[in-house]
Amino acid sequence: MSVVLEPFESAYTGPWLAGVDEVGRGPLAGDVVAAAVILDPQQPIDGLNDSKKLTEKRRERLFDEIQQKAAAWCIARASVAEIDRLNILQASLLAMTRAVEGLASPPEHVLVDGNRLPKWAYSAEAVVKGDSRHPAISAASILAKVARDREMVAFDQQYPGYGFAEHKGYPTKTHMAALDTLGVTPIHRTSYAPIRERLEQIELF
């Protein structure tokens, strides 16, 4: 039975509340992308929700609307090299930190999707499943997902045959088969087991 989550209300009630989310922990390729958004109460945005629960067309429309109406927003990332060096959790936290630091106006309080907070000086709360519980986090999840999906579509042109436009780097059967046939690209995360194992096999021969 599915659990219905209650909307999240922070103790902070001022206008400079930022929502933060990231996308791209699970894929075998590409950066992890984070976004931070401070919504403008005078310009409400209808239909905000967890980006995974929205259609691609809806996400694309909201992506533009969020950028037009938000009081402040920023999209940031941690690179494949940083993921491999730090691990995916620390790279995700780094991307979220960069997103908040990149806001044109610093927030007074930050709501972070998930159960972990970056080590920073901001007043903040972690919100489990926050991308479906608070509109600012929902907006951040949409910006991050659309930005990353667009990058993977571009990589599909740069590295044809892998299917990046369809699976966005996740370990689908198509992706795994392409790795076996075409090999590892520079955008693959070498610290992830399926990639590391293939590189180790090459070194044996």
Side-chain angles (χ1 to χ4, degrees), residues 85-155:
R85 186 175 79 249
L86 299 172
N87 75 44
I88 187 58
L89 172 60
Q90 294 305 316
S92 297
L93 296 173
L94 176 60
M96 290 192 284
T97 299
R98 287 170 173 165
V100 175
E101 291 177 345
L103 290 168
S105 300
E108 294 178 350
H109 192 67
V110 185
L111 299 181
V112 179
D113 183 59
N115 59 6
R116 295 286 294 272
L117 291 174
K119 294 179 180 179
W120 56 21
Y122 298 102
S123 168
E125 296 171 81
V127 186
V128 175
K129 297 190 182 299
D131 47 9
S132 60
R133 299 178 66 194
H134 194 280
I137 304 178
S138 299
S141 78
I142 292 165
L143 291 191
K145 180 164 178 56
V146 172
R148 189 178 190 282
D149 283 357
R150 288 178 178 179
E151 291 176 9
M152 297 311 295
V153 170
F155 279 133

Side-chain angles (χ1 to χ4, degrees), residues 4-115:
V4 178
L5 296 172
E6 293 293 327
F8 181 84
E9 293 187 11
S10 171
Y12 173 82
T13 57
W16 295 107
L17 173 71
V20 182
D21 199 7
E22 53 73 32
V23 65
R25 289 195 189 193
L28 305 178
D31 296 347
V32 59
V33 177
V37 178
I38 299 176
L39 294 174
D40 181 353
Q42 303 304 315
Q43 298 194 80
I45 301 171
D46 292 332
L48 292 174
N49 201 341
D50 174 2
S51 62
K52 297 184 292 297
K53 297 179 180 178
L54 302 171
T55 65
E56 182 178 358
K57 184 177 180 180
R58 180 71 170 161
R59 287 195 301 267
E60 289 282 347
R61 190 189 69 74
L62 286 168
F63 181 86
D64 294 334
E65 187 175 358
I66 292 164
Q67 293 183 336
Q68 292 165 6
K69 291 183 175 180
W73 60 271
C74 179
I75 298 170
R77 71 197 56 254
S79 68
V80 170
E82 288 171 324
I83 293 169
D84 288 337
R85 186 175 79 249
L86 299 172
N87 75 44
I88 187 58
L89 172 60
Q90 294 305 316
S92 297
L93 296 173
L94 176 60
M96 290 192 284
T97 299
R98 287 170 173 165
V100 175
E101 291 177 345
L103 290 168
S105 300
E108 294 178 350
H109 192 67
V110 185
L111 299 181
V112 179
D113 183 59
N115 59 6

Side-chain angles (χ1 to χ4, degrees), residues 130-193:
D131 47 9
S132 60
R133 299 178 66 194
H134 194 280
I137 304 178
S138 299
S141 78
I142 292 165
L143 291 191
K145 180 164 178 56
V146 172
R148 189 178 190 282
D149 283 357
R150 288 178 178 179
E151 291 176 9
M152 297 311 295
V153 170
F155 279 133
D156 191 64
Q157 300 296 314
Q158 188 174 353
Y159 302 102
Y162 289 87
F164 288 130
E166 287 74 38
H167 55 64
K168 307 302 189 293
Y170 283 89
T172 63
K173 289 182 178 180
T174 299
H175 192 180
M176 304 307 283
L179 280 167
D180 290 334
T181 304
L182 302 172
V184 174
T185 74
I187 66 166
H188 279 104
R189 302 172 181 178
T190 58
S191 58
Y192 278 42

